[in-house]
């Protein structure tokens, strides 16, 4: 599987809490289609990431994440995963893998520390927590420079089709950030 593509899959599956499944030989591949975002107030929180394509179908991500608010107990993260076979906007259906809003802080000691940071490695200056999250989450601009991921913890089989992951980081009333990642999954031919 190509490295940059794994980042999209990571975002989707890391939230599904199956990231501890270690699979050596995945039978599918994914191609990023788009990434988009909305923020209710870019002065409080923003994400600007773009897909870079290079070489033989390689992908990477470059951009910034920005926050100036207190990322405390009140901040939640929600994930909605939609899928469809056709790729037509009207055909997307919500999947059972979606998860209700959970505390942002609860992600830091699980998915963030164990999977996201291990996979991203040194392409980002986001904080690293080897021994568990120590508050507060720092404010400021964090950078992603040609991030590709190592691909830990991917499921072996994923049905073909289009997948849309909508992530909602909510710190209302101050700010709500939404971002959407669309990718296309195909079965690998050996
Ligand atoms: C951003 O908002 C627009 C208008 O409400 C919507 O069409 C679009 O899907 C949103 N994008 C994301 C990433 O949430
Ligand atoms: C991200 O890059 C900017 C511009 O180079 C820099 O000012 C900022 O300190 C970087 N962020 C971190 C967390 O290092």
């Amino acid at each position: 599987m190509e490295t940059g593509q794994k980042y999209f899959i990571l975002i989707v599956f890391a939230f599904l809490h199956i990231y501890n499944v270690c699979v050596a030989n995945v039978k599918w591949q994914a191609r990023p289609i788009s990434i988009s975002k909305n923020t209710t107030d870019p002065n409080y929180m923003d994400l600007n990431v773009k897909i870079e394509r290079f070489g033989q179908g390689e992908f990477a991500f470059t951009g910034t994440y920005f926050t100036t608010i207190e990322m405390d107990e009140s901040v939640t993260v929600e994930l909605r995963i939609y899928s469809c076979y056709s790729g037509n906007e009207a055909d997307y259906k919500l999947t059972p893998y979606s998860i209700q809003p959970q505390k942002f802080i609860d992600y830091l000691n699980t998915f963030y520390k164990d999977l996201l940071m291990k996979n991203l490695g040194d392409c980002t200056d986001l904080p690293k927590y080897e021994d568990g999250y120590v508050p507060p989450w720092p404010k400021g601009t964090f950078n992603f420079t040609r991030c590709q991921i190592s691909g830990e913890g991917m499921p072996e089989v994923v049905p073909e089709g289009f997948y849309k992951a909508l992530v909602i980081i909510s710190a209302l009333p101050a700010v709500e950030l939404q971002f959407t990642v669309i990718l296309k999954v195909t079965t690998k031919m050996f």
Side-chain angles (χ1 to χ4, degrees):
M1 186 173 171
E2 289 147 8
T3 41
Q5 302 172 353
K6 292 173 189 165
Y7 185 70
F8 281 92
I9 302 292
L10 172 75
I11 291 171
V12 174
F13 289 101
F15 282 92
L16 304 186
H17 300 282
I18 54 175
Y19 52 81
N20 52 353
V21 181
C22 188
V23 177
N25 187 20
V26 292
K27 296 182 170 62
W28 51 279
Q29 56 196 355
R31 189 161 59 87
I33 305 293
S34 68
I35 193 166
S36 59
K37 59 92 197 202
N38 276 336
T39 177
T40 58
D41 191 337
N43 294 315
Y44 287 136
M45 196 187 297
D46 208 353
L47 177 76
N48 290 296
V49 178
K50 66 179 195 315
I51 304 167
E52 293 180 303
R53 298 181 161 82
F54 57 93
Q56 294 290 315
E58 294 260 332
F59 299 92
F61 300 87
T62 293
T64 58
Y65 168 74
F66 169 80
T67 181
T68 55
I69 59 158
E70 214 63 68
M71 297 294 281
D72 59 16
E73 292 275 317
S74 66
V75 180
T76 61
V77 181
E78 180 182 353
L79 175 73
R80 296 184 199 153
I81 295 178
Y82 303 82
S83 70
C84 74
Y85 193 75
S86 66
N88 296 331
E89 188 57 36
D91 293 340
Y92 279 103
K93 299 259 187 317
L94 196 63
T95 73
Y97 306 116
S98 304
I99 55 173
Q100 300 293 312
Q102 291 190 1
K103 284 179 190 166
F104 169 76
I105 284 173
D106 290 343
Y107 280 104
L108 294 177
N109 283 322
T110 54
F111 137 80
Y112 178 85
K113 176 166 79 71
D114 297 337
L115 187 68
L116 193 62
M117 283 303 106
K118 280 182 190 159
N119 271 280
L120 290 180
D122 291 333
C123 72
T124 178
D125 47 28
L126 279 169
K128 292 187 169 63
Y129 301 106
E130 307 261 313
D131 301 316
Y133 170 64
V134 180
W137 179 267
K139 298 173 183 178
T141 299
F142 301 93
N143 308 291
F144 303 93
T145 308
R146 282 208 157 186
C147 282
Q148 300 186 305
I149 69 153
S150 59
E152 245 177 66
M154 302 300 162
E156 194 172 353
V157 177
V158 174
E160 288 201 326
F162 290 81
Y163 290 80
K164 179 163 74 174
L166 169 64
V167 179
I168 304 168
I169 302 174
S170 177
L172 290 173
V175 62
E176 183 175 272
L177 173 73
Q178 301 194 357
F179 64 95
T180 302
V181 176
I182 295 177
L183 56 86
K184 185 183 181 185
V185 170
T186 51
T187 302
K188 257 190 199 171
M189 298 299 167
F190 290 100

